Amino acid sequence: MLKRLSKLIRLTVLVLTMLWLPVPGAAHESNPELVQQVWQSTRLAALSESMVDNLIAGMEQHPQMLALSPERRERLLAHYRHYTRAERFANALRQTLEQASTPQLQALLALSESPVARKALRHELAFQAVPSEVLIEHAARLRKTNEGRVRLQAIKRLDKAIGVTDMAVTIAATNVYGAHIAKQELAGHAPLATTEATLVRMKQYAERARPEHARQVQLTYLYLYRHLSLADLQAYVALQENPAVTSMQRQFVRSLGEEMISIQQEVMREVVQDLRGMGQRQA
């Protein structure tokens, strides 16, 4: 069993690498002063802390987590709390900045120092996870008005520029299909699929899952930026659509996604150890 799960971990890493679209670009000369200026202006360290708080809160309330027994739920959450640390995400974002070109850094600095981006940042840092019912009700109210429908189109443009849905479907495809393989293997059913077959299946799953993940991103962003005026929201989206900014944002998203997958791998290894301990106690 442990050998099967170790093989699954290796396969998941390989398939994730093949699934993710490559980020083109060559190495750039480092500009430490500009990197530090952008780092401070964008407040990426604070955003990492906020993101981790919301990730853990979301895990605690996830239906699949709540379906576990209290003992198993707390054990699994303890693993996630241990590995899901803000400094991991902050370090990944910092490394991405250090690999950026001067024009990319300058574009990010111009964005972060704009008044509308500062407004958006305040909302991003203040955001706290809320029940899905709240998101759905808020979006439903917006769709009844012309302004609400315009806001939704702006949010769709923002998602397209940043690539959050792209990251979400990649992570989901890796995790869900990986879990399927693990259950088949542990049950002694079909042998582990070949890399080629797994890649095809995961891509198919990702495309089927895309509409729902896009909907979740839209619901979240509509609520997140609910206090931005429509004019400010549209101006903010237009700034994000700057090609230099878009390329950096997508690299940020890729870095965060890779870190999330790394966390999943580490949690999976802990689960393997838990299963081995249970087997030894039952023997």
Side-chain angles (χ1 to χ4, degrees):
M1 179 181 70
L2 296 179
K3 288 183 178 179
R4 293 193 189 106
L5 285 175
S6 296
K7 188 176 182 182
L8 170 63
I9 292 170
R10 294 194 299 272
L11 179 64
T12 300
V13 177
L14 176 60
V15 174
L16 174 67
T17 303
M18 297 173 70
L19 261 177
W20 215 301
L21 294 176
V23 177
H28 301 287
E29 183 177 351
S30 178
N31 191 335
E33 292 183 3
L34 184 55
V35 166
Q36 182 62 20
Q37 191 177 1
V38 174
W39 177 255
Q40 293 177 341
S41 182
T42 54
R43 298 191 65 188
L44 291 174
L47 282 170
S48 296
E49 293 178 0
S50 177
M51 182 177 65
V52 167
D53 288 343
N54 283 295
L55 279 172
I56 296 299
M59 289 178 190
E60 291 172 341
Q61 298 302 317
H62 195 281
Q64 291 182 350
M65 192 69 74
L66 295 174
L68 298 175
S69 67
E71 181 181 357
R72 291 184 63 188
R73 179 169 62 248
E74 188 51 43
R75 183 66 176 168
L76 185 55
L77 284 171
H79 293 322
Y80 275 111
R81 294 187 189 108
H82 177 73
Y83 289 108
T84 310
R85 300 187 303 275
E87 59 267 25
R88 293 185 61 160
F89 294 104
N91 289 339
L93 295 174
R94 178 74 186 218
Q95 291 174 10
T96 302
L97 274 185
E98 291 171 350
Q99 296 167 2
S101 67
T102 297
Q104 287 176 318
L105 292 171
Q106 291 171 334
L108 275 181
L109 186 61
L111 167 67
S112 63
E113 292 186 343
S114 68
V116 68
R118 289 188 181 277
K119 289 182 184 179
L121 179 60
R122 286 196 295 271
H123 294 304
E124 291 161 4
L125 290 174
F127 180 74
Q128 293 182 341
V130 297
S132 59
E133 293 80 7
V134 174
L135 303 180
I136 293 171
E137 290 174 5
H138 178 71
R141 288 195 300 271
L142 287 180
R143 290 192 177 93
K144 295 177 181 179
T145 67
N146 182 62
E147 178 178 325
R149 291 188 288 271
V150 175
R151 293 180 78 89
L152 177 58
Q153 292 306 311
I155 291 300
K156 289 180 178 180
R157 287 168 49 203
L158 181 62
D159 183 25
K160 182 178 179 181
I162 298 177
V164 176
T165 294
D166 291 339
M167 177 187 73
V169 298
T170 301
I171 292 174
T174 302
N175 291 341
V176 172
Y177 195 63
H180 169 72
I181 294 174
K183 292 170 81 172
Q184 292 294 312
E185 285 287 297
L186 291 172
H189 295 158
L192 195 64
T194 64
T195 299
E196 294 79 9
T198 301
L199 179 60
V200 171
R201 291 287 298 276
M202 289 177 71
K203 282 187 174 180
Q204 291 172 344
Y205 173 82
E207 289 313 306
R208 291 197 303 271
R210 179 174 293 277
E212 177 57 24
H213 283 286
R215 188 180 79 91
Q216 292 297 329
V217 169
Q218 292 160 18
L219 291 174
T220 302
Y221 277 16
L222 282 170
Y223 188 81
L224 169 61
Y225 297 119
R226 65 192 183 281
H227 295 308
L228 277 183
S229 69
L230 177 58
D232 281 345
L233 177 61
Q234 291 178 316
Y236 181 59
V237 172
L239 289 172
Q240 293 280 7
E241 290 175 327
N242 177 326
V245 172
T246 295
S247 66
M248 277 305 304
Q249 295 285 31
R250 284 187 165 268
Q251 290 178 50
F252 282 146
V253 167
R254 177 189 173 98
S255 297
L256 294 174
E258 290 174 344
E259 201 62 41
M260 289 177 185
I261 291 296
S262 179
I263 289 169
Q264 293 283 29
Q265 294 168 339
E266 290 160 348
V267 170
M268 185 182 292
R269 293 188 182 99
E270 294 287 356
V271 171
V272 168
Q273 294 301 316
D274 290 346
L275 290 173
R276 182 168 61 182
M278 290 173 59
Q280 290 174 345
R281 288 194 297 271
Q282 293 172 358

